[in-house]
Amino acid sequence: MTRAYMNGLQLLEQLRSQGSSVQFGFVTSESQISMREQAIANGASFLLAKPFTAETFQEIVSTVL
């Protein structure tokens, strides 16, 4: 059986293409500017790159909850 996998950016793109406006954010070890730009262009609410503190996490996530 072959499984198709997608990354978070692909999932977000698919959600948006289907008209979904669900809030979506990223917690990632990726810190490339291109990823951040692509996430924001597709409507990500936030992108938080590791490492981060508990305070930073709470501050970022509380803006979308």
Side-chain angles (χ1 to χ4, degrees), residues 5-46:
Y5 293 98
M6 64 176 70
N7 63 34
L9 286 172
Q10 292 166 330
L11 175 60
L12 179 57
E13 289 173 5
Q14 185 171 9
L15 286 169
R16 295 301 183 243
S17 72
Q18 294 174 355
S20 176
S21 61
V22 67
Q23 289 188 338
F24 196 102
F26 291 92
V27 176
T28 180
S29 59
E30 288 286 330
S31 59
Q32 295 177 348
I33 293 173
S34 61
M35 181 185 176
R36 181 176 301 277
E37 290 171 346
Q38 190 175 0
I40 291 170
N42 283 291
S45 300
F46 65 89

Side-chain angles (χ1 to χ4, degrees), residues 25-31 36 46-62:
F26 291 92
V27 176
T28 180
S29 59
E30 288 286 330
S31 59
R36 181 176 301 277
F46 65 89
L47 189 142
L48 184 57
K50 299 175 188 175
F52 52 85
T53 65
E55 292 80 18
T56 301
F57 180 80
Q58 182 177 11
E59 180 182 315
I60 297 297
V61 173
S62 69

